[in-house]
């Protein structure tokens, strides 16, 4: 076999042998190269031209199949891109096609929601599941938590929360804190936004802040159950300023944890709009600021009484029912809830009721409220029993009325204890009923610890004294009186009304306040 080679032939493997040969005929294979494609290897790399080899076997010429195939594929790809052939591997949906598909998916999800009673109008712009199945999973999960379709309609944005990414992590965290599962339904009704929160970024910092306010770890769950909205507050915002203001008016630092535990709503109150105006109004009625602080420590919920909606109208009602302006401070200090309840109907009902059973007039009703403002909330059945006891004990209607005006507490004391005291008064002390009419507060003293021992001491000395001189003083003062050679009648006329100073007694273990902020900054 004789081979004629040409310059530039690189791979003999490109030879193609034609199979159509005459039987028993053999020819010498030979190669013909196109002169225009005979390029050096270096020149080929520079220009990038494709070599084309032609082979002839027995007078036949063939182009390299592999080269033609490559060209054909390249052309197909080129034209496929140009024409947008959907069968091409490189084709992608257009933006308009993707948008249309998204709109179709959302329409199907909206149709499902409307079918179960959810109004999806507020969901426009919110990222939602692309399939009805995923949305159904979210709705079913919310139902398992106790939320109804009405609850979802109240906050439809909850449908934008993923079950696995949002709902389950948040609920697991609350459960680990100690929030009871039985409270989850009400918790989410009040603050469904919690399902959007990040446990690490949003929830954990708030919990740590509450612990820093001396709220005990065991109390944290109850605080969150009572006021779930606290999880949405900024740490350096309303929460910090409200606490600082309370410390500034005199609330003891060691009491802050207990105050917030009993009434965490304080953390959401704006100082300038809520707390400060309330404190200043009570001051204007005659309650010292420190006394307001002490009332807040004992009954922090009073800060939640609406000033314009409740407090001021109730104060006006007290004045309308003959409570004197000078007594308003005492009334509120004794019974702070009186400015937060629906007061006017209670005043009207109780005034009419007392007038019907003991002929108590409007002016006397005002004095009764001043001395015991809790009278507005007394149960009528209990009042009747106490009045009947006094009548059965021999007191006339006039005497009963006078005793009630002098000591309204008679209408609320334990009847069994009153009977024991009255029996001792009659059998051992041997006094007349007029003594009790003049000092009905006798029934408010302890028989065993006060009345009996003092009566025995006076009897041993042979002193004759009023019940007021005997009882209306401290043990220390009574011991001093036992050294007297005579009875000072002026001491027997001590005022037994409420003493505001008892609210402001100094605390031996109270640390001083380091709050130095100006009140003007709370606006």
């Amino acid at each position: 076999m004789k081979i004629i080679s040409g310059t530039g032939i690189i791979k003999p493997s490109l030879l193609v042998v034609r199979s159509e040969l005459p039987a028993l005929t053999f020819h010498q294979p030979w190669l013909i190269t196109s002169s225009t494609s005979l390029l050096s290897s270096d020149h080929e790399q520079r220009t990038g031209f494709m070599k084309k080899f032609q082979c002839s076997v027995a007078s036949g010429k063939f182009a390299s199949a592999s080269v033609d195939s490559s060209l054909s594929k390249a052309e197909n790809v080129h034209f496929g891109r140009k024409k947008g052939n959907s069968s091409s591997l490189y084709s992608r949906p257009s933006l308009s096609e993707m948008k249309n598909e998204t709109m179709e998916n959302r329409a199907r999800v909206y149709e499902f929601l409307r079918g179960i009673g959810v109004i999806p109008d507020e969901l426009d712009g919110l990222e939602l599941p692309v399939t009805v199945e995923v949305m159904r999973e979210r709705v079913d999960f919310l139902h398992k938590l106790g939320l109804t379709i009405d609850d979802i309609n109240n906050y439809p944005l909850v449908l934008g929360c993923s079950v696995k990414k949002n709902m389950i992590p948040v609920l697991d965290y609350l459960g680990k804190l100690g929030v009871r599962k039985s409270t989850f339904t009400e918790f989410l009704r009040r603050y469904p936004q919690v399902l959007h929160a990040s446990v690490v970024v949003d929830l954990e910092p708030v919990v740590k802040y509450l612990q820093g306010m001396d709220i005990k770890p065991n109390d944290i769950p109850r605080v969150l159950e009572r006021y779930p909205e606290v999880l949405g507050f900024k740490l350096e915002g309303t929460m910090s300023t409200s606490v600082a203001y309370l410390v500034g008016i005199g609330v003891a630092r060691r009491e802050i944890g207990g105050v917030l535990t009993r009434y965490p709503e304080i953390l959401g109150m704006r100082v300038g709009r809520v707390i400060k105006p309330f404190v200043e109004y009570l001051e204007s009625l005659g309650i010292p600021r420190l006394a307001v602080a002490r009332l807040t420590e004992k009954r922090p919920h009073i800060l939640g009484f609406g000033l314009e909606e409740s407090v001021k109208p109730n104060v006006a009602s007290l004045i309308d029912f003959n409570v004197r302006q000078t007594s308003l401070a005492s009334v509120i200090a004794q019974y702070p809830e009186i400015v937060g309840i629906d007061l006017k109907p209670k005043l009207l009902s109780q005034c009419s009721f007392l007038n019907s059973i003991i002929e108590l007039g409007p002016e006397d009703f005002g004095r009764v409220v001043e001395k015991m403002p809790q009278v507005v909330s007394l149960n009528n059945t209990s009042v009747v029993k106490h009045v009947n006891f006094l009548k059965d004990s021999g007191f006339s209607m006039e005497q009963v009325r006078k005793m009630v005006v002098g000591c309204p507490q008679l209408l609320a004391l334990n009847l069994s204890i009153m009977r024991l005291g009255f029996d001792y008064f009659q059998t051992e002390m041997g006094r007349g009923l007029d003594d009790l009419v003049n000092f009905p507060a006798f029934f408010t003293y302890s028989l065993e610890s006060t009345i009996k021992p003092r009566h025995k001491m006076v009897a041993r000395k042979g002193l004759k004294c009023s019940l007021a001189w005997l009882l209306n003083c401290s043990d220390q003062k009574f011991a001093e009186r036992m050294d007297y050679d005579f009875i000072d009648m002026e001491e027997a006329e001590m005022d037994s009304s409420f003493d505001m100073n008892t609210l402001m007694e100094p605390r031996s273990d109270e640390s001083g306040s380091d709050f130095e902020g100006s009140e003007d900054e709370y606006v």
Side-chain angles (χ1 to χ4, degrees):
M1 180 183 293
K2 184 176 179 180
I3 299 176
I4 300 175
S5 64
T7 305
I9 296 177
I10 298 175
K11 294 182 179 180
S13 62
L14 294 175
L15 294 176
V16 178
V17 179
R18 188 180 181 114
S19 61
E20 295 124 352
L21 297 177
L24 301 177
T25 302
F26 298 92
H27 297 271
Q28 293 179 347
W30 55 286
L31 295 176
I32 298 176
T33 62
S34 175
S35 61
T36 59
S37 63
L38 297 178
L39 302 173
S40 65
S41 178
D42 293 339
H43 185 65
E44 178 185 355
Q45 292 177 359
R46 289 195 304 269
T47 61
F49 290 150
M50 176 84 65
K51 294 183 180 63
K52 182 176 182 181
F53 300 93
Q54 291 181 334
C55 305
S56 176
V57 179
S59 301
K61 294 182 181 180
F62 297 90
S64 170
S66 62
V67 174
D68 288 344
S69 177
S70 298
L71 287 172
S72 176
K73 289 180 179 180
E75 289 176 355
N76 287 338
V77 170
H78 173 73
F79 290 112
R81 287 179 181 174
K82 184 175 181 180
K83 296 179 181 179
N85 189 348
S86 60
S87 63
S88 171
L89 295 175
Y90 293 92
S91 65
R92 292 289 186 274
S94 66
L95 291 177
S96 61
E97 290 174 338
M98 295 173 64
K99 183 177 181 180
N100 290 337
E101 184 178 0
T102 300
M103 292 176 63
E104 291 173 0
N105 291 335
R106 182 174 286 266
R108 284 191 288 268
V109 171
Y110 275 18
E111 182 180 0
F112 162 72
L113 292 176
R114 291 191 182 96
I116 62 175
V118 175
I119 303 173
D121 297 350
E122 296 183 28
L123 300 179
D124 293 342
L126 183 69
E127 183 177 353
L128 294 178
V130 296
T131 65
V132 171
E133 288 71 21
V134 176
M135 179 57 77
R136 181 180 288 109
E137 178 190 10
R138 294 187 183 182
V139 173
D140 290 344
F141 188 81
L142 293 173
H143 283 332
K144 289 179 181 179
L145 293 174
L147 298 182
T148 65
I149 294 299
D150 288 339
D151 296 327
I152 295 175
N153 280 327
N154 288 334
Y155 187 72
L157 298 182
V158 73
L159 296 175
C161 296
S162 167
V163 173
K164 294 180 180 179
K165 295 180 180 179
N166 301 108
M167 300 185 191
I168 291 178
V170 167
L171 296 175
D172 281 349
Y173 177 70
L174 294 176
K176 290 177 182 178
L177 287 176
V179 177
R180 294 167 295 180
K181 289 185 178 181
S182 60
T183 67
F184 277 177
T185 302
E186 185 61 26
F187 192 106
L188 295 175
R189 281 175 180 161
R190 290 187 55 182
Y191 189 59
Q193 296 90 335
V194 72
L195 295 178
H196 293 286
S198 163
V199 171
V200 176
V201 177
D202 302 317
L203 305 185
E204 287 184 351
V206 174
V207 171
K208 290 180 180 178
Y209 181 87
L210 295 177
Q211 293 173 340
M213 290 288 102
D214 293 332
I215 298 178
K216 299 177 181 179
N218 291 339
D219 291 330
I220 293 292
R222 304 294 87 80
V223 169
L224 297 181
E225 290 174 3
R226 179 184 175 99
Y227 192 50
E229 293 89 343
V230 72
L231 291 172
F233 294 148
K234 295 181 179 179
L235 303 184
E236 300 304 324
T238 303
M239 290 199 294
S240 60
T241 55
S242 60
V243 171
Y245 182 82
L246 292 179
V247 173
I249 67 171
V251 175
R253 289 188 177 278
R254 65 181 179 82
E255 298 290 339
I256 288 294
V259 168
L260 297 179
T261 298
R262 297 195 302 277
Y263 196 67
E265 288 86 346
I266 290 174
L267 293 168
M269 293 180 178
R270 299 290 298 271
V271 171
R273 296 180 183 177
V274 180
I275 303 179
K276 184 182 177 185
F278 179 83
V279 172
E280 291 179 345
Y281 180 72
L282 294 188
E283 283 187 289
S284 71
L285 296 178
I287 304 177
R289 176 165 295 198
L290 186 56
V292 176
R294 295 292 177 265
L295 290 175
T296 301
E297 291 173 2
K298 296 177 180 179
R299 297 179 176 87
H301 61 274
I302 65 174
L303 295 177
F305 296 158
L307 183 59
E308 300 297 332
E309 303 81 7
S310 178
V311 178
K312 289 182 178 180
N314 283 354
V315 168
S317 294
L318 288 172
I319 294 174
D320 289 342
F321 280 83
N322 299 293
V323 173
R324 293 168 293 186
Q325 183 80 32
T326 54
S327 299
L328 289 174
S330 173
V331 168
I332 297 172
Q334 291 181 76
Y335 187 46
E337 286 78 4
I338 200 169
V339 294
I341 60 178
D342 188 11
L343 182 60
K344 190 170 183 178
K346 290 181 176 292
L347 288 169
L348 184 61
S349 173
Q350 208 69 331
C351 181
S352 175
F353 174 69
L354 291 176
N355 180 61
S356 67
I357 62 171
I358 58 173
E359 300 177 0
L360 190 70
E363 291 293 331
D364 285 338
F365 180 73
R367 304 294 82 75
V368 168
V369 174
E370 290 175 2
K371 293 180 180 179
M372 193 184 76
Q374 294 88 344
V375 70
V376 300
S377 299
L378 289 182
N379 180 272
N380 289 353
T381 301
S382 177
V383 171
V384 170
K385 289 180 179 180
H386 287 76
V387 169
N388 288 339
F389 163 74
L390 294 175
K391 290 180 178 179
D392 293 341
S393 298
F395 297 100
S396 66
M397 176 69 74
E398 176 66 25
Q399 289 175 322
V400 170
R401 182 171 58 253
K402 184 177 179 180
M403 293 173 71
V404 169
V405 173
C407 183
Q409 289 78 7
L410 293 179
L411 301 177
L413 295 174
N414 185 299
L415 275 176
S416 297
I417 294 177
M418 290 182 69
R419 289 191 178 95
L420 291 175
F422 185 69
D423 290 341
Y424 184 83
F425 174 83
Q426 283 190 313
T427 58
E428 299 296 331
M429 299 180 73
R431 292 173 175 264
L433 294 181
D434 286 341
D435 285 349
L436 289 177
V437 174
N438 293 328
F439 191 71
F442 166 86
F443 290 102
T444 65
Y445 291 90
S446 169
L447 179 62
E448 298 298 329
S449 63
T450 303
I451 297 176
K452 284 185 177 182
R454 291 190 183 187
H455 168 67
K456 292 178 180 179
M457 292 176 67
V458 169
R460 281 196 299 266
K461 292 196 67 171
L463 295 176
K464 297 293 184 180
C465 63
S466 67
L467 291 177
W469 191 91
L470 176 70
L471 301 173
N472 194 17
C473 62
S474 64
D475 289 339
Q476 180 180 354
K477 183 64 177 178
F478 181 76
E480 294 175 1
R481 288 179 176 180
M482 289 298 94
D483 294 331
Y484 292 172
D485 294 329
F486 61 93
I487 296 176
D488 186 350
M489 296 307 297
E490 292 184 0
E491 292 184 350
E493 301 300 327
M494 293 176 59
D495 186 7
S496 60
S497 62
F498 177 78
D499 184 3
M500 187 73 68
N501 291 325
T502 58
L503 282 176
M504 300 181 289
E505 294 176 354
R507 300 172 181 269
S508 58
D509 57 347
E510 185 177 32
S511 59
S513 169
D514 58 2
F515 177 75
E516 298 177 354
S518 170
E519 291 184 13
D520 294 335
E521 65 184 275
Y522 297 106
V523 293

